Amino acid sequence: GTIKLWPKDGRGEPVVLTHGHKSVEVSLAVLSDGRLASGGDDGAIKLWPKDGREDPVILPRGSEGEKILSLAALSDGRLASTGSNGMIRLWPKDSPGEPVVLTQGRENEWVLCRAVLPDGRLACGSSDGTIQIWPKDGKGQPVFLPHGNSSVSAHAVLADGRLASGGIDGIIKLWPKDGRGEPAVLTQGREDEWVLCLAVLPDGRLASSSSDG
């Protein structure tokens, strides 16, 4: 339940943030003003001062029992959060006011948002194996991409603007920029190896990690 802010050079002791989350897994994002946002399985989202040495701003909690599964910083400064109840929330940039709520699907669908496309749209994946590309203003219906029959567990945006998605089936897909046409398919390993995270290196290569350690 702790977060550690490590020195740039990796030397010395980190600043430790202790805030009551039972678990902080993939729910971290850096806002445009440099603050860190964190979400936990207790449903709380906290916005930390840049130096980590003051109390955080706490955003209003969602529905009872909801877990925060992922956070993403939008290009306009807003924060997007997804949870275990199938909802996506777009939080105001400068205040802990009421968010815009997007409903992705059934209430029991877990939602993960891991990527913001270059044009400001938000890419979210869910436990039903689909990816939704939401308009940047949150209005209107999303574009649906069929990743597969298993949960979508990771996203990243390539240097050329394409979306990469990974699933718990060990498959990674590279989608055309306009979302039309068939994606390129990469196989990470065995079918039971989850794709846990995707990241783009400065030279344009895509890095992936899996549940096989």
Side-chain angles (χ1 to χ4, degrees):
T2 60
I3 298 169
K4 295 182 179 181
L5 307 181
W6 294 91
K8 263 194 305 189
D9 59 6
R11 299 175 182 177
E13 293 299 315
V15 174
V16 179
L17 308 180
T18 304
H19 48 185
H21 292 330
K22 296 178 182 177
S23 175
V24 181
E25 297 177 357
V26 294
S27 301
L28 292 174
V30 180
L31 302 180
S32 57
D33 60 8
R35 290 181 298 164
L36 178 70
S38 66
D41 63 4
D42 59 355
I45 298 174
K46 299 187 178 184
L47 310 181
W48 296 90
K50 284 191 281 188
D51 61 6
R53 301 184 187 281
E54 297 177 12
D55 291 335
V57 173
I58 302 175
L59 301 183
R61 292 182 187 237
S63 58
E64 185 177 353
E66 179 185 6
K67 298 179 180 180
I68 304 301
L69 299 179
S70 67
L71 299 173
L74 303 183
S75 54
D76 61 6
R78 291 179 299 164
L79 177 69
S81 67
T82 67
S84 56
N85 61 355
M87 292 184 180
I88 303 162
R89 291 180 173 85
L90 306 180
W91 297 91
K93 177 180 177 182
D94 298 319
S95 72
E98 291 300 315
V100 174
V101 178
L102 310 178
T103 302
Q104 176 157 291
R106 299 185 303 272
E107 288 186 3
N108 61 348
E109 286 181 8
W110 286 37
V111 186
L112 294 170
C113 69
R114 296 289 184 79
V116 179
L117 301 179
D119 60 6
R121 292 180 298 162
L122 179 67
C124 295
S126 73
S127 57
D128 68 355
T130 62
I131 301 165
Q132 293 79 36
I133 310 296
W134 290 88
K136 61 181 179 179
D137 60 4
K139 299 177 181 179
Q141 295 301 309
V143 174
F144 283 80
L145 303 178
H147 178 87
N149 296 321
S150 62
S151 298
V152 183
S153 53
H155 288 116
V157 177
L158 303 180
D160 61 7
R162 290 182 297 162
L163 176 68
S165 64
I168 66 172
D169 55 2
I171 292 176
I172 299 168
K173 294 187 177 182
L174 310 180
W175 297 90
K177 279 194 283 188
D178 60 5
R180 299 175 182 176
E182 293 299 315
V185 178
L186 309 177
T187 302
Q188 178 164 272
R190 300 188 309 270
E191 289 186 1
D192 59 349
E193 291 179 6
W194 291 35
V195 180
L196 295 180
C197 77
L198 297 171
V200 179
L201 302 180
D203 62 7
R205 291 179 296 164
L206 179 67
S208 67
S209 69
S210 71
S211 58
D212 66 352

